[in-house]
Amino acid sequence: MNHRNGFNPLSRTTAHRRAMSRNMVTSLFRYERITTTKSKALEVRKSAEKLITRAKEDTVHNRREAAKFIQDEKILNKLFTEIGPRMKERNGGYTRVLKLGYRQGDAADVVILELVDYKLDADKSEEKPAKKAESKAKKPAAKDAGSDAKSKKAATKKASEKKEEAPAN
């Protein structure tokens, strides 16, 4: 029996596993939601939750410890300025794993790993069509005004042509 076996090596070398973990944690903090296999998600979740716990208190030491793991400075800043303060009231459990099913090629369990307070972009997508509808309503009015101006110009041209033709007779 493998009681208390520390981690899942994921059939990778140490360097590959460490690089993959860092990249996945960085992507999780960047997009706040990633799709991966269940075993990878459970491993990434451990390091992500430890980093979020550090980010709840913004000190130089915590930033340097997190910077050892997260190479991207923008994401590190986002972790300490946005994600950490959002999780201030939580005592753990910052991530959630949602099952999607099985992957077509190798039947691996596919899951979504996301931050607990992640919100879908459904609200934004509802606002966009409303804005499009408003802009579409405004555009035909603008086209009508433009066509009215064009018709007035055409009428004045015809009138001026008739006046020019009339004295010539």
Side-chain angles (χ1 to χ4, degrees):
M1 286 189 201
N2 292 325
H3 291 299
R4 309 263 312 169
N5 196 3
F7 61 94
N8 183 356
L10 300 171
S11 300
R12 287 165 171 78
T13 63
T14 304
H16 184 189
R17 186 175 55 250
R18 185 175 294 145
M20 183 184 63
S21 179
R22 287 177 176 181
N23 289 334
M24 290 181 74
V25 168
T26 302
S27 294
L28 176 65
F29 292 149
R30 176 178 288 136
Y31 302 113
E32 299 185 7
R33 184 178 204 183
I34 57 173
T35 304
T36 184
T37 61
K38 183 178 179 183
S39 55
K40 286 180 191 174
L42 295 179
E43 285 302 309
V44 167
R45 173 186 220 174
K46 293 175 187 176
S47 51
E49 296 217 358
K50 289 176 184 176
L51 287 170
I52 292 173
T53 301
R54 282 207 179 267
K56 287 166 64 172
E57 186 179 346
D58 190 2
T59 62
V60 174
H61 177 69
N62 284 343
R63 277 187 180 262
R64 286 181 178 164
E65 288 295 315
K68 288 180 183 178
F69 204 82
I70 298 175
Q71 303 297 320
D72 190 350
E73 202 160 314
K74 290 181 182 177
I75 303 303
L76 184 67
N77 193 31
K78 179 181 178 181
L79 174 64
F80 279 90
T81 58
E82 294 177 25
I83 297 171
R86 281 193 334 223
M87 304 291 184
K88 200 78 164 174
E89 300 301 317
R90 288 188 156 272
N91 292 327
Y94 311 114
T95 58
R96 142 186 333 130
V97 176
L98 303 171
K99 295 180 183 179
L100 285 180
Y102 299 102
R103 193 161 53 197
Q104 182 76 32
D106 59 356
D109 284 333
V110 178
V111 298
I112 294 175
L113 177 64
E114 67 180 10
L115 298 179
V116 171
D117 61 351
Y118 178 80
K119 292 186 178 72
L120 287 175
D121 293 336
D123 299 332
K124 293 178 183 177
S125 63
E126 289 175 6
E127 292 173 7
K128 288 181 181 178
K131 289 180 182 178
K132 287 181 182 177
E134 289 174 10
S135 63
K136 285 181 181 178
K138 291 179 184 177
K139 285 181 181 177
K143 288 180 182 177
D144 292 341
S147 61
D148 289 343
K150 289 179 183 176
S151 61
K152 287 180 184 178
K153 287 180 182 178
T156 54
K157 282 184 181 180
K158 288 180 182 177
S160 62
E161 288 174 2
K162 288 181 183 178
K163 289 180 184 176
E164 290 174 6
E165 290 175 9
N169 286 339

